[in-house]
Amino acid sequence: MLDRLKTILSNSLSDPEVNIEGERVPVRIHRNNRAKRISMRADAVKREIRITMPPYTPTNVALDFVAKKREWIAARLNSVADAAPIAPGSEIAFEGEGYVIEWREEWPRSVKCAEGRLLLGGPESSVEARILRWLRAEARRVYTEEIAYYCAKANDPVPRLSLGDPRSRWGSCSSRGTISLSWRLIMAPVSVRRSVIAHEVAHIRHMNHSAQFYAWLDTLYDGNRKAADQWLKMHGTGLQRVGR
């Protein structure tokens, strides 16, 4: 039965592929010395399956695991709609609210945010690039302020901010004093973004996910972190689709 469920299209040194509802989906296998069991993530944006497992686990065991989860993978890959274009007349999220993009060539090239609209002029061909650049700039400005806020609340030094576009996590905190955050969080509701930032600031004191860490996070974060986590689980893939 498992052999019928899965169709292995490549058994060479390259990543194997499986057939999910007629789509060839690559399986990226990562062996980790700290892994105690097989874990799997189906990426609806990148259209791939990622497996993390102990180094001694055979590849065919991982593929059997994928075959057993075939229906779940299909649902996950189909869980996100196609990305809406970033163009005049379309809508894009900013801090959890929808903003309509309004463009006229004679208007100033820089983006202006006003009453549910993003206004800009200049060449129509560069509207998407300039909207994305504006979102990243807003993300850096807002994140800098909110990291400083939570660090002051924690009485911890303010770390360096690294702004990026990671695929597997929304933020991280390194032991060398850097907090890394996805610029895409600027599109999420304010409470969701602040939950992630508070989470990473809490790691300055606790570089783990122990009970002490969560107790400290609940002291810092002035909101419902479980609701924020649930929002990202439900809508995070949609944020990843913007500008791709």
Side-chain angles (χ1 to χ4, degrees):
M1 175 62 71
L2 291 179
D3 288 340
R4 289 197 297 271
L5 284 176
K6 67 183 180 182
T7 303
I8 306 305
L9 303 170
S10 172
N11 288 310
S12 64
L13 293 177
S14 61
D15 291 320
E17 294 179 337
V18 294
N19 188 311
I20 303 294
E21 296 186 342
E23 178 183 355
R24 294 184 178 186
V25 182
V27 180
R28 316 293 188 197
I29 296 177
H30 174 63
R31 289 178 167 84
N32 190 318
N33 289 329
R34 294 181 294 179
K36 303 299 182 183
R37 58 183 177 83
I38 296 176
S39 62
M40 179 175 64
R41 183 169 185 263
D43 192 323
V45 176
K46 207 168 184 179
R47 315 303 293 176
E48 67 180 23
I49 300 164
R50 293 200 285 274
I51 294 285
T52 301
M53 62 186 189
Y56 50 81
T57 305
T59 297
N60 67 316
V61 172
L63 296 175
D64 285 343
F65 183 79
V66 169
K68 291 176 182 177
K69 299 292 185 178
R70 184 174 179 272
E71 291 185 3
W72 178 88
I73 293 169
R76 178 62 181 165
L77 293 178
N78 294 327
S79 65
V80 59
D82 291 339
I86 302 176
S90 66
E91 186 174 275
I92 192 168
F94 176 62
E95 296 196 319
E97 302 292 337
Y99 283 75
V100 176
I101 299 171
E102 292 191 12
W103 168 85
R104 291 184 186 175
E105 189 173 8
E106 67 272 18
W107 286 352
R109 293 169 60 97
S110 58
V111 178
K112 181 180 179 182
C113 181
E115 298 180 348
R117 298 174 297 159
L118 297 181
L119 312 176
L120 76 164
E124 185 175 7
S125 60
S126 63
V127 165
E128 177 175 351
R130 283 182 286 130
I131 291 288
L132 292 175
R133 190 159 55 243
W134 178 81
L135 286 172
R136 290 186 177 95
E138 285 296 298
R140 181 171 293 279
R141 178 184 65 81
V142 172
Y143 298 176
T144 298
E145 293 175 356
E146 293 183 349
I147 289 173
Y149 168 82
Y150 283 113
C151 284
K153 193 173 182 179
N155 197 27
D156 285 330
V158 178
R160 187 178 75 89
L161 168 63
S162 175
L163 196 68
D165 192 13
R167 299 305 310 276
S168 60
R169 58 179 65 184
W170 296 104
S172 63
C173 178
S174 78
S175 58
R176 291 175 288 184
T178 297
I179 285 181
S180 301
L181 295 167
S182 169
W183 70 265
R184 296 175 183 276
L185 285 170
I186 199 65
M187 295 184 286
V190 173
S191 61
V192 174
R193 179 189 73 230
R194 289 175 68 91
S195 173
V196 175
I197 292 175
H199 184 111
E200 301 312 330
V201 170
H203 275 312
I204 295 174
R205 189 167 299 189
H206 298 284
M207 295 295 292
N208 52 46
H209 288 106
S210 62
Q212 291 83 358
F213 165 80
Y214 283 109
W216 180 232
L217 173 56
D218 288 337
T219 299
L220 292 180
Y221 178 54
D222 39 6
N224 186 334
R225 63 174 173 82
K226 291 184 178 179
D229 291 345
Q230 185 62 29
W231 191 97
L232 279 175
K233 288 180 181 179
M234 293 179 63
H235 304 288
T237 304
L239 300 185
Q240 295 285 0
R241 296 286 287 173
V242 175
R244 294 192 181 280

